[in-house]
Amino acid sequence: MSNSLSLPELGEDVCLAALLLVFLGRVWILAVLDLVWLHGDRNTPGAGGRCSAWVRNRAIRRHIRDHLPISLVKTADPDPSWNYLFGFHPHGVLVSGACSNFCTETTGFSHLFPHLQPHLLTVPCWFHLPDFRDYIMCAGSVSSDSTSYLLSLPGGLLAVGGPLEAWETKPGALSLRIRNQKRFVGLPWWRSA
């Protein structure tokens, strides 16, 4: 048994500490309202989330795209009646390439693929953070628990990566984790095997 914390555990600990600080302050009612909202909306990240064109079109993302630079290139016309999985590499720490291409309109996703609705699969721990979870859901991120649900809908697109690659990110280096990978996307029937 290891004494070190994983990224999801650390994120949840930071979230709980921040929530406790809000409870102890003068705006404790906001924390209570946020917890009520979290409880009532707890199934949304695993059921396709909610997407907002207003969040996906924020101007700040265009500045990020121009700074990094990030682009999206279409090489084929996908059949809109099918579902698709897009993989991306490198993952990076903040997943800027995937977020810019699949969670915003900065690279023109909806113009290139007008019949597809993108969803970026994200580790479930991010959906325990009040307010942040709603922002990333409005951009198109969903919990990786919603994979089966989204693949049952026509015209869906899931973009997957891997949190392990984020830990291995180093400036000026590219690494690809292939060895010891048991699956590309964890669907429930794969987990039982």
Side-chain angles (χ1 to χ4, degrees):
M1 190 162 181
S2 175
N3 290 333
S4 64
L5 287 174
S6 68
L7 182 63
E9 291 168 340
L10 182 62
E12 289 176 4
D13 289 345
V14 169
C15 178
L16 287 174
L19 192 60
L20 180 63
L21 288 174
V22 173
F23 265 124
L24 296 175
R26 291 182 180 170
V27 291
W28 61 269
I29 190 68
L30 294 178
V32 171
L33 292 173
D34 221 1
L35 287 175
V36 169
W37 171 254
L38 273 173
H39 179 71
D41 196 48
R42 67 186 173 279
N43 296 326
T44 303
R50 71 176 69 84
C51 201
S52 164
W54 183 79
V55 172
R56 290 179 57 82
N57 287 302
R58 301 291 298 166
I60 186 71
R61 291 312 236 154
R62 287 191 293 275
H63 298 299
I64 293 170
R65 174 205 59 202
D66 295 340
H67 175 72
L68 289 177
I70 297 168
S71 62
L72 181 62
V73 178
K74 179 180 176 181
T75 58
D77 285 322
D79 183 348
S81 65
W82 286 48
N83 290 315
Y84 298 91
L85 289 171
F86 283 19
F88 62 90
H89 181 74
H91 186 284
V93 176
L94 298 175
V95 200
S96 296
C99 287
S100 294
N101 282 313
F102 304 118
C103 291
T104 71
E105 288 299 326
T106 60
T107 57
F109 185 91
S110 66
H111 297 293
L112 292 172
F113 304 100
H115 302 291
L116 296 178
Q117 173 64 48
H119 298 278
L120 184 66
L121 294 179
T122 308
V123 290
C125 70
W126 296 121
F127 297 97
H128 298 290
L129 301 170
D131 302 323
F132 179 72
R133 69 183 284 282
D134 295 300
Y135 175 74
I136 62 175
M137 274 196 296
C138 286
S141 288
V142 293
S143 173
S144 55
D145 296 337
S146 67
T147 306
S148 296
Y149 171 79
L150 291 170
L151 287 175
S152 70
L153 303 174
L157 181 146
L158 302 177
V160 298
L164 295 175
E165 287 83 358
W167 284 105
E168 297 174 352
T169 301
K170 295 179 181 81
L174 289 176
S175 65
L176 178 60
R177 176 181 280 274
I178 296 176
R179 201 176 231 172
N180 298 326
Q181 289 292 87
K182 295 193 186 331
R183 61 186 169 256
F184 183 62
V185 176
L187 293 173
W189 50 272
W190 287 348
R191 290 183 184 140
S192 62

Short mmCIF file of all heavy atoms in Angstrom, two decimals, residues 102-131:
data_model
loop_
_atom_site.label_atom_id
_atom_site.label_comp_id
_atom_site.label_asym_id
_atom_site.label_seq_id
_atom_site.Cartn_x
_atom_site.Cartn_y
_atom_site.Cartn_z
N PHE A 102 -11.96 19.95 -29.37
CA PHE A 102 -13.22 19.25 -29.11
C PHE A 102 -14.15 19.96 -28.12
O PHE A 102 -15.32 19.65 -28.06
CB PHE A 102 -12.94 17.83 -28.61
CG PHE A 102 -12.08 17.04 -29.56
CD1 PHE A 102 -10.84 16.57 -29.17
CD2 PHE A 102 -12.50 16.79 -30.85
CE1 PHE A 102 -10.04 15.85 -30.04
CE2 PHE A 102 -11.71 16.07 -31.74
CZ PHE A 102 -10.48 15.61 -31.33
N CYS A 103 -13.63 20.88 -27.31
CA CYS A 103 -14.46 21.57 -26.30
C CYS A 103 -14.68 23.03 -26.62
O CYS A 103 -15.27 23.75 -25.82
CB CYS A 103 -13.82 21.44 -24.92
SG CYS A 103 -13.88 19.77 -24.28
N THR A 104 -14.17 23.50 -27.74
CA THR A 104 -14.39 24.88 -28.15
C THR A 104 -14.59 24.90 -29.66
O THR A 104 -14.39 23.91 -30.35
CB THR A 104 -13.19 25.80 -27.80
OG1 THR A 104 -12.09 25.47 -28.66
CG2 THR A 104 -12.79 25.67 -26.34
N GLU A 105 -14.92 26.05 -30.16
CA GLU A 105 -15.06 26.22 -31.61
C GLU A 105 -13.88 27.00 -32.19
O GLU A 105 -13.97 27.51 -33.29
CB GLU A 105 -16.37 26.95 -31.92
CG GLU A 105 -17.60 26.11 -31.69
CD GLU A 105 -17.63 24.86 -32.56
OE1 GLU A 105 -17.15 24.90 -33.72
OE2 GLU A 105 -18.14 23.84 -32.09
N THR A 106 -12.78 27.05 -31.47
CA THR A 106 -11.64 27.85 -31.94
C THR A 106 -10.99 27.29 -33.20
O THR A 106 -10.39 28.04 -33.95
CB THR A 106 -10.56 27.96 -30.83
OG1 THR A 106 -10.11 26.66 -30.49
CG2 THR A 106 -11.10 28.65 -29.61
N THR A 107 -11.11 25.99 -33.42
CA THR A 107 -10.55 25.41 -34.65
C THR A 107 -11.64 25.06 -35.66
O THR A 107 -11.36 24.41 -36.66
CB THR A 107 -9.71 24.16 -34.32
OG1 THR A 107 -10.53 23.22 -33.63
CG2 THR A 107 -8.49 24.51 -33.48
N GLY A 108 -12.87 25.48 -35.39
CA GLY A 108 -13.96 25.30 -36.36
C GLY A 108 -14.51 23.90 -36.44
O GLY A 108 -14.92 23.46 -37.52
N PHE A 109 -14.57 23.19 -35.32
CA PHE A 109 -15.05 21.81 -35.34
C PHE A 109 -16.43 21.68 -35.96
O PHE A 109 -16.66 20.83 -36.83
CB PHE A 109 -15.06 21.21 -33.93
CG PHE A 109 -15.43 19.76 -33.92
CD1 PHE A 109 -14.46 18.80 -34.01
CD2 PHE A 109 -16.76 19.37 -33.86
CE1 PHE A 109 -14.81 17.45 -34.04
CE2 PHE A 109 -17.11 18.03 -33.89
CZ PHE A 109 -16.14 17.07 -33.98
N SER A 110 -17.39 22.50 -35.53
CA SER A 110 -18.77 22.36 -36.04
C SER A 110 -18.89 22.71 -37.52
O SER A 110 -19.82 22.26 -38.19
CB SER A 110 -19.74 23.21 -35.21
OG SER A 110 -19.47 24.57 -35.38
N HIS A 111 -17.96 23.49 -38.05
CA HIS A 111 -17.98 23.78 -39.50
C HIS A 111 -17.36 22.63 -40.29
O HIS A 111 -17.82 22.32 -41.38
CB HIS A 111 -17.24 25.08 -39.79
CG HIS A 111 -17.88 26.27 -39.16
ND1 HIS A 111 -19.12 26.75 -39.53
CD2 HIS A 111 -17.47 27.07 -38.15
CE1 HIS A 111 -19.45 27.78 -38.80
NE2 HIS A 111 -18.46 28.00 -37.94
N LEU A 112 -16.33 22.00 -39.73
CA LEU A 112 -15.69 20.88 -40.40
C LEU A 112 -16.54 19.61 -40.31
O LEU A 112 -16.60 18.81 -41.23
CB LEU A 112 -14.30 20.62 -39.81
CG LEU A 112 -13.25 21.70 -40.07
CD1 LEU A 112 -11.99 21.41 -39.26
CD2 LEU A 112 -12.92 21.77 -41.55
N PHE A 113 -17.17 19.40 -39.14
CA PHE A 113 -17.97 18.21 -38.89
C PHE A 113 -19.36 18.63 -38.41
O PHE A 113 -19.69 18.48 -37.24
CB PHE A 113 -17.29 17.33 -37.84
CG PHE A 113 -15.88 16.94 -38.17
CD1 PHE A 113 -14.81 17.63 -37.61
CD2 PHE A 113 -15.62 15.91 -39.06
CE1 PHE A 113 -13.51 17.27 -37.91
CE2 PHE A 113 -14.33 15.55 -39.36
CZ PHE A 113 -13.26 16.24 -38.80
N PRO A 114 -20.20 19.16 -39.30
CA PRO A 114 -21.48 19.74 -38.87
C PRO A 114 -22.47 18.75 -38.27
O PRO A 114 -23.36 19.15 -37.54
CB PRO A 114 -22.04 20.36 -40.15
CG PRO A 114 -21.36 19.65 -41.26
CD PRO A 114 -20.02 19.24 -40.75
N HIS A 115 -22.33 17.46 -38.53
CA HIS A 115 -23.30 16.49 -38.05
C HIS A 115 -22.81 15.72 -36.82
O HIS A 115 -23.48 14.79 -36.39
CB HIS A 115 -23.67 15.50 -39.16
CG HIS A 115 -24.22 16.19 -40.37
ND1 HIS A 115 -25.45 16.80 -40.36
CD2 HIS A 115 -23.70 16.39 -41.60
CE1 HIS A 115 -25.68 17.34 -41.54
NE2 HIS A 115 -24.63 17.10 -42.32
N LEU A 116 -21.67 16.08 -36.28
CA LEU A 116 -21.13 15.39 -35.11
C LEU A 116 -21.14 16.30 -33.90
O LEU A 116 -20.87 17.50 -34.01
CB LEU A 116 -19.70 14.91 -35.37
CG LEU A 116 -19.51 13.88 -36.48
CD1 LEU A 116 -18.04 13.54 -36.64
CD2 LEU A 116 -20.31 12.63 -36.18
N GLN A 117 -21.44 15.75 -32.75
CA GLN A 117 -21.40 16.48 -31.48
C GLN A 117 -20.24 15.92 -30.65
O GLN A 117 -20.31 14.79 -30.19
CB GLN A 117 -22.72 16.30 -30.72
CG GLN A 117 -22.73 16.89 -29.33
CD GLN A 117 -22.56 18.40 -29.34
OE1 GLN A 117 -23.22 19.10 -30.07
NE2 GLN A 117 -21.65 18.89 -28.52
N PRO A 118 -19.17 16.69 -30.47
CA PRO A 118 -18.01 16.15 -29.75
C PRO A 118 -18.21 16.15 -28.23
O PRO A 118 -18.87 17.02 -27.67
CB PRO A 118 -16.89 17.11 -30.14
CG PRO A 118 -17.59 18.41 -30.36
CD PRO A 118 -18.93 18.05 -30.94
N HIS A 119 -17.63 15.16 -27.58
CA HIS A 119 -17.58 15.06 -26.13
C HIS A 119 -16.16 14.63 -25.77
O HIS A 119 -15.66 13.67 -26.34
CB HIS A 119 -18.56 14.01 -25.60
CG HIS A 119 -19.99 14.32 -25.90
ND1 HIS A 119 -20.74 15.18 -25.13
CD2 HIS A 119 -20.79 13.90 -26.89
CE1 HIS A 119 -21.95 15.26 -25.62
NE2 HIS A 119 -22.01 14.50 -26.70
N LEU A 120 -15.55 15.32 -24.86
CA LEU A 120 -14.21 14.96 -24.41
C LEU A 120 -14.33 14.15 -23.12
O LEU A 120 -14.86 14.63 -22.12
CB LEU A 120 -13.37 16.22 -24.16
CG LEU A 120 -11.92 16.01 -23.77
CD1 LEU A 120 -11.15 15.39 -24.93
CD2 LEU A 120 -11.29 17.32 -23.36
N LEU A 121 -13.86 12.89 -23.16
CA LEU A 121 -13.91 12.04 -21.98
C LEU A 121 -12.88 12.52 -20.96
O LEU A 121 -11.73 12.75 -21.30
CB LEU A 121 -13.63 10.59 -22.35
CG LEU A 121 -14.65 9.90 -23.23
CD1 LEU A 121 -14.22 8.47 -23.53
CD2 LEU A 121 -16.02 9.91 -22.60
N THR A 122 -13.33 12.64 -19.73
CA THR A 122 -12.49 13.17 -18.65
C THR A 122 -12.61 12.25 -17.45
O THR A 122 -13.67 11.66 -17.22
CB THR A 122 -12.97 14.59 -18.27
OG1 THR A 122 -13.05 15.38 -19.45
CG2 THR A 122 -12.03 15.26 -17.32
N VAL A 123 -11.55 12.14 -16.67
CA VAL A 123 -11.61 11.29 -15.48
C VAL A 123 -12.70 11.82 -14.54
O VAL A 123 -12.89 13.03 -14.42
CB VAL A 123 -10.24 11.22 -14.76
CG1 VAL A 123 -9.24 10.43 -15.56
CG2 VAL A 123 -9.69 12.58 -14.43
N PRO A 124 -13.45 10.92 -13.90
CA PRO A 124 -14.60 11.33 -13.09
C PRO A 124 -14.28 12.28 -11.94
O PRO A 124 -15.16 13.01 -11.49
CB PRO A 124 -15.14 9.99 -12.55
CG PRO A 124 -14.69 8.97 -13.53
CD PRO A 124 -13.36 9.47 -14.04
N CYS A 125 -13.04 12.30 -11.45
CA CYS A 125 -12.73 13.15 -10.29
C CYS A 125 -13.00 14.63 -10.55
O CYS A 125 -13.36 15.36 -9.63
CB CYS A 125 -11.29 12.95 -9.85
SG CYS A 125 -10.06 13.61 -10.98
N TRP A 126 -12.87 15.11 -11.79
CA TRP A 126 -13.09 16.52 -12.08
C TRP A 126 -14.55 16.93 -11.91
O TRP A 126 -14.85 18.11 -11.76
CB TRP A 126 -12.62 16.88 -13.48
CG TRP A 126 -11.16 16.71 -13.66
CD1 TRP A 126 -10.54 15.89 -14.56
CD2 TRP A 126 -10.12 17.35 -12.92
NE1 TRP A 126 -9.18 15.97 -14.41
CE2 TRP A 126 -8.90 16.87 -13.41
CE3 TRP A 126 -10.10 18.27 -11.87
CZ2 TRP A 126 -7.67 17.28 -12.91
CZ3 TRP A 126 -8.88 18.69 -11.37
CH2 TRP A 126 -7.69 18.19 -11.88
N PHE A 127 -15.45 15.96 -11.89
CA PHE A 127 -16.87 16.27 -11.76
C PHE A 127 -17.32 16.30 -10.30
O PHE A 127 -18.50 16.39 -10.02
CB PHE A 127 -17.70 15.29 -12.59
CG PHE A 127 -17.38 15.43 -14.06
CD1 PHE A 127 -16.49 14.57 -14.67
CD2 PHE A 127 -17.93 16.46 -14.80
CE1 PHE A 127 -16.17 14.72 -16.01
CE2 PHE A 127 -17.62 16.62 -16.14
CZ PHE A 127 -16.74 15.74 -16.74
N HIS A 128 -16.37 16.23 -9.38
CA HIS A 128 -16.66 16.40 -7.96
C HIS A 128 -16.34 17.82 -7.50
O HIS A 128 -16.59 18.17 -6.36
CB HIS A 128 -15.87 15.41 -7.11
CG HIS A 128 -16.21 13.98 -7.40
ND1 HIS A 128 -17.42 13.42 -7.05
CD2 HIS A 128 -15.52 13.00 -8.03
CE1 HIS A 128 -17.45 12.15 -7.45
NE2 HIS A 128 -16.32 11.89 -8.05
N LEU A 129 -15.75 18.61 -8.37
CA LEU A 129 -15.36 19.97 -8.02
C LEU A 129 -16.50 20.93 -8.33
O LEU A 129 -16.85 21.11 -9.49
CB LEU A 129 -14.10 20.39 -8.80
CG LEU A 129 -12.87 19.52 -8.57
CD1 LEU A 129 -11.78 19.87 -9.57
CD2 LEU A 129 -12.37 19.67 -7.16
N PRO A 130 -17.09 21.54 -7.31
CA PRO A 130 -18.23 22.45 -7.55
C PRO A 130 -17.85 23.56 -8.54
O PRO A 130 -16.73 24.04 -8.55
CB PRO A 130 -18.52 23.03 -6.17
CG PRO A 130 -17.95 22.05 -5.21
CD PRO A 130 -16.76 21.44 -5.91
N ASP A 131 -18.78 23.95 -9.36
CA ASP A 131 -18.67 25.02 -10.35
C ASP A 131 -17.74 24.65 -11.51
O ASP A 131 -18.11 24.82 -12.66
CB ASP A 131 -18.24 26.35 -9.72
CG ASP A 131 -19.20 26.79 -8.64
OD1 ASP A 131 -20.42 26.57 -8.81
OD2 ASP A 131 -18.75 27.33 -7.62
#
